[in-house]
Amino acid sequence: QVQLVESGGGLVQAGGSLRLSCAVSGAMASDNAIGWYRQVPGKQRDLVAIIYETRRTVYADSVKGRFAISRDDAENTVYLQMNSLKPEDTAVYYCNWPGDAARRGYWGQGTQVTVSS
């Protein structure tokens, strides 16, 4: 079974920074595309950033230039560095392992990020 454990969320003032971590077990993070998503109550879960096996990255327009996704293969962990945070970045952040030919996808439990104005 694949497990993803997010950490690093918290309360920060606008303009501040946070680094989220997604520790992957049961699979190699480098063998698949790992994404960070966020969700606010009553809305759908939206993609924030994704890192592919090749380390190619894709970002939502709303976070381009402020967030950076990276992967540490030795730690089997994917990070999301969030800078210049805005109140509209407030959400629960989830990481996702999309699955492979033999296994379904998995989500982490989520970590709350709150940005005060």
Side-chain angles (χ1 to χ4, degrees):
Q1 182 176 348
V2 178
Q3 287 190 314
L4 303 101
V5 179
E6 300 101 333
S7 61
L11 173 64
V12 64
Q13 288 189 329
S17 298
L18 284 173
R19 189 177 80 154
L20 306 184
S21 300
C22 173
V24 181
S25 61
M28 297 299 296
S30 57
D31 287 346
N32 216 325
I34 305 291
W36 280 100
Y37 294 74
R38 65 187 181 188
Q39 188 172 25
V40 297
K43 295 194 174 182
Q44 67 180 22
R45 193 170 296 186
D46 293 325
L47 177 67
V48 175
I50 191 167
I51 184 165
Y52 291 93
E53 302 92 310
T54 58
R55 296 190 185 275
R56 184 174 77 91
T57 58
V58 175
Y59 296 92
D61 287 343
S62 59
V63 306
K64 281 180 183 176
R66 300 189 297 122
F67 289 13
I69 189 170
S70 62
R71 190 180 71 224
D72 185 326
D73 292 345
E75 296 293 328
N76 212 30
T77 298
V78 175
Y79 300 97
L80 185 68
Q81 177 67 44
M82 306 187 296
N83 299 324
S84 302
L85 281 161
K86 304 175 181 180
E88 51 264 44
D89 295 317
T90 295
V92 179
Y93 284 70
Y94 299 89
C95 61
N96 172 262
W97 183 80
D100 58 21
R103 294 172 289 186
R104 66 170 179 88
Y106 288 88
W107 293 92
Q109 83 286 356
T111 186
Q112 176 71 48
V113 171
T114 303
V115 184
S116 63
S117 57

